[in-house]
Amino acid sequence: MRVGLGYDVHKLVKNRKLIIGGVKIDYELGLLGHSDADVAVHALMDSMLGALALGDIGMHFPDTDPKYKDIDSLKLLEQVDKLIKEKGYELGNTDIVIAAQRPKLAPHILKMRKNLAKVLNCDIEKISIKATTTERLGFVGKEEGIEAFAITNLYKNK
Ligand code: ZN
């Protein structure tokens, strides 16, 4: 059994879509990034790569590469999933925490879990997503950005 930790932050700006966990959320601000800036999916991918000491997403999908411009991060997740399966591992479970002062994420959590379970081709019970505010403290509390943490367990399937 292997465990990996992932962490990601993106800045909130005007004129960008807000996409978290593959869900497009109706909001006046969106996350800035080279890809679609899906902070939860990025933390998850880093935790999966970290579990097998395979580096990070910046290494696998460099933000200098135009082919990743505005890419749907679920497509990148599909590639990370393929990679861990090639190494003989399966997802045990993952627990993701998204910290955002606004907007309210609770109404979107189930859909996010379904999106990730579909891409990873696993039971939704393996995917936990929680949302929290930071009580108005720090950059998250000041609504300057959104951060996500993920811890993931992978197990050898053969
Ligand atoms: Zn990111």
Side-chain angles (χ1 to χ4, degrees), residues 2-6 41-61 76-77 79-85 87 89 91 150 152-154:
R2 308 273 303 200
V3 174
L5 177 67
V41 173
H42 292 183
L44 170 61
M45 290 192 287
D46 265 351
S47 69
M48 292 166 76
L49 292 169
L52 299 183
L54 292 173
D56 60 27
I57 54 170
M59 208 181 97
H60 289 265
F61 313 111
L76 304 179
L77 179 61
Q79 291 184 43
V80 171
D81 185 52
K82 209 177 135 213
L83 186 64
I84 66 146
K85 280 173 178 152
K87 299 273 177 193
Y89 283 84
L91 179 76
T152 299
N153 152 243
L154 304 178

Side-chain angles (χ1 to χ4, degrees), residues 11-142:
K11 191 175 172 181
L12 276 168
V13 294
K14 283 184 182 150
N15 303 313
R16 281 278 298 186
K17 288 178 191 154
L18 180 60
I19 297 166
I20 306 180
V23 178
K24 194 190 162 307
I25 298 166
D26 202 25
Y27 190 52
E28 69 228 42
L29 302 174
L31 293 173
L32 183 63
H34 184 68
S35 66
D36 66 0
D38 191 325
V39 68
V41 173
H42 292 183
L44 170 61
M45 290 192 287
D46 265 351
S47 69
M48 292 166 76
L49 292 169
L52 299 183
L54 292 173
D56 60 27
I57 54 170
M59 208 181 97
H60 289 265
F61 313 111
D63 65 6
T64 47
D65 192 332
K67 84 174 166 224
Y68 301 124
K69 176 107 180 73
D70 293 321
I71 196 171
D72 176 353
S73 293
L74 292 178
K75 293 212 166 73
L76 304 179
L77 179 61
E78 210 175 278
Q79 291 184 43
V80 171
D81 185 52
K82 209 177 135 213
L83 186 64
I84 66 146
K85 280 173 178 152
E86 279 166 10
K87 299 273 177 193
Y89 283 84
E90 294 279 338
L91 179 76
N93 72 295
T94 187
D95 189 18
I96 301 168
V97 176
I98 306 162
Q101 192 62 45
R102 276 197 321 146
K104 276 233 167 306
L105 298 179
H108 308 290
I109 297 283
L110 182 62
K111 179 73 173 119
M112 291 179 193
R113 293 174 64 209
K114 282 181 180 166
N115 285 345
L116 302 188
K118 193 175 166 200
V119 172
L120 299 172
N121 195 22
C122 73
D123 198 295
I124 192 169
E125 303 298 316
K126 289 187 168 189
I127 298 169
S128 161
I129 302 181
K130 292 150 1 202
T132 184
T133 71
T134 59
E135 302 284 350
R136 305 217 153 269
L137 294 168
F139 70 87
V140 169
K142 292 181 179 68

